[in-house]
Amino acid sequence: MSQPSVLAALLAGVQGGSIEVVDLTSPLSSTTPVIQLPPQFGQTQVFELEEISRYDDRGPAWYWNNFRSGEHTGTHFDAPVHWVTGKDLADVASVPVDRLIAPAVVLDFSEHAAKDPDFLVEVDHIKAWEADNGPLPQGGWLLLRTGWDARSQSQEAFLNADENGPHTPGLSAECARWVAEESPVLGLGTETVGTDAGRAHSFDPAFPCHSYLLGADKYGLTQLQNLGSLPPTGAVVIAGPLPIVSGSGSPARVLALVEGS
């Protein structure tokens, strides 16, 4: 008798509950927080729906909408071309599809961020985590849990800005360089509005996660939800950005597969 295929076993696991599907995506609406740059720069678009018809004279049997959105609004995927250091690398439509399904680890710094919204992850933090949990996954995601998804219903709380700029947790410049150049991961995922810490505008280089990771042909996932539902190791992430030709990124549906206990 032939053995069940790998795909059949996967489907049976999902349907039977031995594999849990966790949605890591923030719902996309007009209230979804967006990054705010200094006024001299161009600004991203808040998500908007424009009704085309809703079972009426414009279309008696159907409901549909146009939508307008920035590429980097809500839960989204950063392609290398998003940053000047990756300007000659892949747009979001050119990211190899086999890189959109990858193992993931979750490093939980939520207690640190609760005490200090400007908390920065250093290389030593990651190496200490590796000593307890094993190496970062080859070709996988490093997901940074900070508890920031609890703020995602409020633009003000999510950006957490004052006269000195936003205050949100992230990686130090040296840690960003290490993740980009020395770690085996393919990208960084965060719960905050972008992959960089709020204070990263004043780092050297400015916005080092964008500068180093995208310049190293790696990726970013941001505004993730529910990382607290994932184990430190063992999850598989499926990231689904729209393949926008020449796009620097895209809103994405991001799912995680987790083995049941």
Side-chain angles (χ1 to χ4, degrees):
M1 186 174 180
S2 62
Q3 296 295 316
S5 72
V6 172
L7 292 179
L10 173 63
L11 185 59
V14 171
Q15 293 176 336
S18 61
I19 297 175
E20 180 184 2
V21 182
V22 180
D23 196 348
L24 306 183
T25 315
S26 177
L28 192 56
S29 74
S30 60
T31 63
T32 297
V34 296
I35 195 169
Q36 291 183 333
L37 301 182
Q40 67 267 31
F41 298 120
Q43 305 296 323
T44 194
Q45 171 69 40
V46 173
F47 183 83
E48 294 180 352
L49 276 183
E50 176 194 26
E51 188 174 276
I52 302 173
S53 68
R54 194 179 183 107
Y55 327 119
D56 52 28
D57 291 343
R58 299 170 297 169
W62 51 91
Y63 164 57
W64 57 342
N65 303 287
N66 293 317
F67 69 84
R68 187 177 184 213
S69 177
E71 296 171 324
H72 300 268
T73 297
T75 302
H76 63 271
F77 186 102
D78 290 349
V81 75
H82 176 45
W83 211 250
V84 64
T85 52
K87 64 184 179 66
D88 297 320
L89 301 175
D91 66 10
V92 71
S94 303
V95 173
V97 293
D98 60 359
R99 303 193 87 187
L100 300 179
I101 304 175
V105 294
V106 180
L107 280 62
D108 187 351
F109 296 103
S110 54
E111 291 187 5
H112 299 74
K115 296 175 183 176
D116 178 11
D118 287 320
F119 171 74
L120 298 178
V121 178
E122 302 288 354
V123 176
D124 285 348
H125 289 116
I126 297 179
K127 290 186 175 180
W129 183 93
E130 288 185 299
D132 292 334
N133 298 277
L136 299 180
Q138 183 72 42
W141 288 99
L142 190 166
L143 304 181
L144 187 63
R145 185 184 179 219
T146 56
W148 217 255
D149 56 339
R151 298 169 175 251
S152 63
Q153 300 305 308
S154 166
Q155 171 85 5
E156 182 178 6
F158 198 65
L159 297 188
N160 196 36
D162 60 18
E163 66 276 6
N164 298 313
H167 298 275
T168 60
L171 304 186
S172 72
E174 175 56 25
C175 189
R177 186 204 63 77
W178 184 88
V179 171
E181 298 177 3
E182 299 186 44
S183 87
V185 300
L186 61 72
L188 172 70
T190 68
E191 297 169 332
T192 48
V193 74
T195 53
D196 273 295
R199 295 186 293 150
H201 57 84
S202 63
F203 292 177
D204 183 18
F207 306 104
C209 288
H210 284 77
S211 182
Y212 286 130
L213 271 78
L214 300 182
D217 200 24
K218 295 187 176 184
Y219 312 122
L221 285 175
T222 73
Q223 288 183 251
L224 297 172
Q225 301 269 304
N226 302 320
L227 293 185
S229 298
L230 304 187
T233 65
V236 173
V237 163
I238 304 170
L242 299 173
I244 302 169
V245 175
S246 298
S248 71
S250 168
R253 190 67 180 264
V254 183
L255 307 175
L257 302 181
V258 180
E259 289 189 42
S261 55

